Amino acid sequence: VRVKSPKKDPAAEEGDNNPAEEPWERTLKSTTVTVGAAEFRGRRVSLWELLHCRYIPEESRTEILELYRAGELSLEQVKSVLSTIVTRAAAAAA
């Protein structure tokens, strides 16, 4: 799955002190999904935000990132995995 890269941030071009983001990180930050669970209900959130929410255990986060960066998980698969984990974890917590 190909995702259009977001336009360059003019602040970053002006010598902002933020380290350069990797392309995969920009893609995860710019790709949004709607998750009908927990605090995300009714709004679109980035995959990056989902990946770093309290419902994703550190070991799962690391594994998902490694698989995505290695090309073993597509962006669509990352969306599906994250949405499923968040939905199940939120339901279990309810």
Side-chain angles (χ1 to χ4, degrees):
V1 174
R2 292 197 168 244
V3 175
K4 249 182 152 174
S5 296
K7 293 180 182 179
K8 289 185 180 180
D9 181 6
E13 292 176 358
E14 293 173 1
D16 194 355
N17 289 333
N18 293 335
E21 289 180 340
E22 296 287 337
W24 58 265
E25 186 177 342
R26 277 194 304 274
T27 299
L28 292 174
K29 286 180 177 179
S30 65
T31 303
T32 59
V33 294
T34 301
V35 180
E39 64 265 23
F40 305 113
R41 189 178 316 249
R43 67 183 180 101
R44 294 189 65 78
V45 294
S46 72
L47 292 180
W48 186 260
E49 185 177 354
L50 276 184
L51 189 64
H52 291 89
C53 77
R54 64 187 170 116
Y55 298 108
I56 308 293
E58 180 65 36
E59 55 277 357
S60 296
R61 179 181 308 127
T62 301
E63 183 179 7
I64 291 166
L65 277 174
E66 286 174 359
L67 291 171
Y68 177 65
R69 291 189 328 210
E72 295 178 33
L73 277 181
S74 70
L75 190 60
E76 287 301 317
Q77 289 170 316
V78 171
K79 282 183 192 181
S80 177
V81 167
L82 292 177
S83 296
T84 300
I85 292 172
V86 169
T87 300
R88 288 182 181 169

